[in-house]
Amino acid sequence: MGWLKKPASDTQLTHGDRLWLYVVAAIIMLLLVIPTLIVIPMSFSASQYLEFPPETWSMRWYDVYLESPKWMRATVTSMQVGVLTMLLATPVGTMAAYALFVSGHRAARALFMFLITPMIVPVILIAIGTFYAYGRIGLNNTITGLVLAHSVLAAPLVMIVITSALRNYDLNQERVARSLGATRLKAFFVITLPQIKFSLVTAALLSFLTSFDEVIIAIFVSGGTNATLTKHMFAALRDFIDPTIAAISTIMILVSTTLLLATQFLGAKQK
Amino acid sequence: MQSNADTQPSEKPTALPIRIQSLTKKYGKFYALDSVDLDIKSGEFLTLLGPSGSGKTTLLMAIAGFNRPDAGSIRFGDDEMILTPPHKRNVGMVFQSYALFPHMTVAENVAFPLKLRGVSAEESAERVDEALTTVQLASLGARGIEELSGGQRQRVALARAFVFRPRILLMDEPLSALDKKLREQMQIELKHLHEQLGVTTVYVTHDQREALTMSDRIAVINHGKLAQVDTPHAIYNRPANAFVADFIGESTMLPLTRNGSGQLSFAGNLISHDPVSAGDYSLVIRPERLSVIRETVSDPQQTLVFSGTIREFVFQGDTAFALASISDRHDVSFRFATDSASSENSLRPGDPVSLGLNRSDVIIIPRGEVQ
């Protein structure tokens, strides 16, 4: 255990002196992830009921999920809404971030704060408001309605990611390009965009995830054949509990973590 | 200068004069430019010199088309430019940050304006080569921007700005990020490049020495107004007002008294024989124009003499700098080249001293604020 005697920092505290800190940190990290990870072993249970730890193991609940037309349709809906939200929120958020960043107008900052309020307002309020508004214009239970509502949540994330990318970018490059003969649009696409492309991909992945993981708005405004995976999961938990939910959760954890790791990886690459 | 007669652009771009009339740019209530009139001659190297916030960069950006003035006119030759977008003004531009495109190689950076102009790949390659040779980077075309030193980046930015043979070249403090030695070397190179290209050049700096070194003419700008536009020689030797006298070079300003017949004097010394119109005037003395006088002056008509007491003396290697108090309250600073044998090296605070100023070095300006 010579390691315990080695200095852990410039202050000459040894790893031994720091041991308590490492233990506390480990406990906190475990508390953060255990609730999420606990569904993974549960999904491989052979039992009829959710149990932890499972007594017998099987893949049967994955088969149930994959063979159920109801779950498959919901999965397709979630994917569809996620991709469309990504395709809408990414360009719209990028345009807003660029305009507000470049303008330098006094109102730009206030407008930025206004546009990112969907991140601060409780989602349930947005969901209720959207539900009533959609009731009037007939957008409830439609893909369009869900994509619009999810884009409202995703666009602020895009704006924050793109604004921070623009902060690390010398806008004089665009000016030079314009003085050299490029139109403003061309300067943006040829000079600025290639240099913020990793942030753009990150923003797109986050948009997808925002929609894919979202449940509150989905409960209010999606339904029928256009109900999302998360809405079906919520309903299933209420009506009958079987380990299919755990299997689906495991798949969703896998998708989310992969995408988040991808954004982190891209972020590191940009630096 | 190295010989690159064979690498000169085959057709010289026709330089254009720039005529700026009553140009005004306001930000809220603040006048960044206040009715500026400036004629820049064809092929001239004109420097906009001023402290930060003086409006010099605003003026340059207005010429480039990056801000829209509230009033006034900017003409390139006979063409009004005020509504022309930057990409149609055909001006080369170099920024302080260089603003090279990091996702392109050196050659791709330089080829960028040619590509936009639809120049064929073959001709483009030739001209990029030519431009890189002119800035002495002939072999570095394939390098990435990250691999270049500060000085090399500066040269790439330059090559990119003139490769498409613009008729006007604009530079915004292009050398300020370089260290002193490299900066002085680049000043000379830029001057040669300007002679070689013959393009009208507007150069922004806050460094007066740089302005004096490089320019055909200097436009001193302060609070959005031109304080003086003249040759470096005239700006230094005949500043028009207190701001220019204070901003360019070192100077001491002494208040003058005007007698009944309009002549100006300081502490009993008649400074100007010719009567001047009513008003307050100051005498401007450059520190290097004062000399320590040991014997009686042979020709008092030619030399003004101030007697006083040394207050401070600082040896700075090539020169020595001293402060002397003359006629009670007034301090003048003076500077002279050192010399190992000179007895002036041994001046001490408290020593009496006589300082001579040649009458041809007398500068009289209307008294005013230096800010």
Side-chain angles (χ1 to χ4, degrees), chain B residues 253-273:
Chain B
M253 280 179 232
L254 300 172
L256 296 174
T257 34
R258 180 171 172 275
N259 66 19
S261 50
Q263 293 170 317
L264 298 170
S265 60
F266 175 78
N269 269 322
L270 194 61
I271 305 289
S272 89
H273 296 280

Side-chain angles (χ1 to χ4, degrees), chain A residues 170 175 178 180 182 190 195, chain B residues 66 87 91 95 97 102-103 117:
Chain A
D170 180 12
R175 284 185 162 175
R178 287 161 68 197
L180 295 175
V190 178
Q195 293 182 62
Chain B
F66 292 120
H87 67 274
V91 298
F95 282 85
S97 60
H103 58 304
R117 283 167 178 75

Side-chain angles (χ1 to χ4, degrees), chain A residues 195-238:
Chain A
Q195 293 182 62
I196 60 166
K197 63 181 177 208
F198 293 117
S199 297
L200 203 70
V201 174
T202 301
L205 293 180
L206 286 176
S207 301
F208 175 82
L209 271 187
T210 301
S211 165
F212 190 70
D213 289 349
E214 205 283 327
V215 59
I216 302 174
I217 291 180
I219 286 172
F220 277 78
V221 308
S222 84
T225 54
N226 288 330
T228 67
L229 195 54
T230 48
K231 173 162 185 170
H232 272 300
M233 288 169 75
F234 192 78
L237 277 174
R238 201 183 48 206

Side-chain angles (χ1 to χ4, degrees), chain B residues 63-322:
Chain B
I63 298 173
F66 292 120
N67 66 45
R68 171 85 52 93
D70 298 302
S73 140
I74 299 172
R75 269 181 289 163
F76 294 174
D78 295 325
D79 302 327
E80 178 59 59
M81 285 289 146
I82 211 94
L83 297 175
T84 308
H87 67 274
K88 289 188 181 154
R89 293 200 184 192
N90 214 31
V91 298
M93 190 145 188
V94 180
F95 282 85
Q96 182 176 4
S97 60
Y98 314 147
L100 295 175
F101 310 136
H103 58 304
M104 301 181 185
T105 64
V106 168
E108 283 166 350
N109 263 274
V110 179
F112 184 77
L114 300 176
K115 207 168 151 192
L116 289 168
R117 283 167 178 75
V119 174
S120 72
E122 204 175 310
E123 193 193 339
S124 169
E126 208 170 283
R127 279 166 71 174
V128 167
D129 256 5
E130 201 174 271
L132 286 176
T133 308
T134 307
V135 296
Q136 302 167 34
L137 291 178
S139 54
L140 300 187
R143 292 270 181 98
I145 299 305
E146 306 293 331
E147 304 166 56
L148 302 181
S149 70
Q152 289 171 331
R153 288 179 195 203
Q154 178 55 64
R155 288 161 203 252
V156 176
L158 262 172
R160 186 179 61 179
F162 69 73
V163 70
F164 62 104
R165 293 165 193 155
R167 299 164 301 176
I168 290 165
L169 202 53
L170 305 177
M171 303 197 215
D172 185 14
E173 311 218 17
L175 303 182
S176 62
L178 303 177
D179 63 49
K180 186 168 179 285
K181 224 173 178 169
L182 190 56
R183 193 162 67 227
E184 286 174 356
Q185 184 195 334
M186 284 299 292
Q187 287 170 3
I188 305 296
E189 277 184 35
L190 274 180
K191 209 174 147 85
H192 287 323
L193 183 71
H194 172 253
E195 283 159 11
Q196 191 182 336
L197 298 174
V199 62
T200 309
T201 303
V202 184
Y203 189 96
V204 162
T205 185
H206 64 271
D207 180 342
Q208 41 138 326
R209 187 166 288 275
E210 193 165 291
L212 292 169
T213 305
M214 305 176 69
S215 321
D216 293 325
R217 283 194 306 158
I218 299 172
V220 184
I221 187 165
N222 188 36
H223 294 315
K225 288 183 172 150
L226 294 180
Q228 188 173 1
V229 185
D230 220 325
T231 62
H233 202 269
I235 291 269
Y236 189 79
N237 289 317
R238 294 191 303 279
N241 50 53
F243 175 77
V244 176
D246 181 68
F247 189 70
I248 316 274
E250 294 169 83
S251 59
T252 302
M253 280 179 232
L254 300 172
L256 296 174
T257 34
R258 180 171 172 275
N259 66 19
S261 50
Q263 293 170 317
L264 298 170
S265 60
F266 175 78
N269 269 322
L270 194 61
I271 305 289
S272 89
H273 296 280
D274 306 324
V276 294
S277 53
D280 291 331
Y281 293 88
S282 297
L283 170 64
V284 178
I285 302 176
R286 300 293 191 192
E288 76 281 5
R289 303 286 162 89
L290 282 174
S291 51
V292 178
I293 296 174
R294 292 289 168 184
E295 291 105 34
T296 339
V297 175
S298 51
D299 185 3
Q301 292 294 26
Q302 276 308 306
T303 312
L304 285 163
V305 179
F306 305 93
S307 36
T309 322
I310 296 288
R311 295 218 311 137
E312 257 181 78
F313 180 82
V314 185
F315 176 74
Q316 292 176 322
D318 55 343
T319 57
F321 176 82

